Amino acid sequence: MADHTRPSDHAYLSDHTRPTDPARPADHAGDRAPAPGAPAPRAPAVSGAPAVSGASAADDAFICLEGVEKVFDVRRRTGLLRREKHQVRAVDTLSFTVRRGEVVGYIGPNGAGKSTTIKMLTGILTPSGGRLRVAGIDPARERARLARRIGVVFGQRTTLWWDLPLVDSYRLIRRMYRIPDDTYRANLDRCVELLELADLLDVPVRQLSLGQRMRGDIAAALLHDPDVLYLDEPTIGLDVVSKARVRRFLRDLNTRRGTTVLLTTHDLTDIEQLCHRVMVIDHGRLMYDGPLAGLHESGASERTLVVDLEREMPPIDTGGAARVVRTEGPRQWLAFPAGRSAAPLVARIAADYPLVDLSVREPDIEAVIAEMYAGRPTARPAS
């Protein structure tokens, strides 16, 4: 087995996944994981908003960033043998908090600073400035201790041993984290059932499909009962069935166990189905932080009222309350601001026109995000 598990042979020990691999078990009692049957206290998740009435200040700032910055030195070629050093500000005075038990979508275009933020939260990268805490722990200073509180899944890298059966990877993770047998068995059984892994446990990881491997990675990240789960593109490249399984499992995980989830993804269906709060980042700055519904108003998007009339008629006149964007026989499409109620508009049309049927279509979230990106500010160079 030693030949199969050398650290140099596997991507799971790259900088993307080291935080979930505490290579040096804690030597101090204060760093040890909670004893079985005594997990870290969690606020119960509530459908819609996991916040708990009367929650402590610690819960309100379970993940806390205050003015966090990350600057990289990049060398660019300026001649045949000459290179100049430039600084790139990947994260720019970023501040936010995440409460215990929240499921938060963290989205933005490529290069916005999402993955850099996750790497600082897991201790892979050290911030260039500002203050960062996860469960009261400084990730850069106490990586091994933090590793017992977090789970990490990077969609394009695996934490599993490539040549070993899936179950052997789980056994090795149990040894690394010193997970008690009863806790390990209970968590493994739950993940196997909900992620439908029973038929895959004896299959070498290299023979798994992308969707199967992703489900295996998510299970691996949860065997040690983390308080926080970071998901970086967890459904990338997955088919519709695999995506549905992963989303269903994550909803169950948050509802039953109150696990805090920070999700970065380009698949906005993940955000719509899993998250009640969304943060939009661009050029390392926070552009929006609030409920998913508020994105429509922030992006100045429009809802669409589809009106079916008894017969074909000229474009409907609403006195400026809406604009007709399309007509097709007796059917007309009218656009109006997403933040405005449709009731007055519907009442006016019903009073003035021979109405047969109507429906209201909400704005496409992808169009809202694209509109926000289109108006984004120019990147600020590092000082």
Side-chain angles (χ1 to χ4, degrees), residues 293 296-297 300-306 321-325 333-346 359-364 368 371:
H296 301 313
E297 295 181 20
S301 57
E302 295 180 317
R303 301 164 77 188
T304 302
L305 181 66
V306 183
R323 57 189 178 87
V324 177
V325 294
W333 287 259
L334 290 80
F336 63 100
R340 186 180 299 170
S341 170
L345 181 61
V346 171
S359 61
V360 178
R361 296 181 183 176
E362 296 300 325
D364 184 352
V368 175
E371 188 174 333

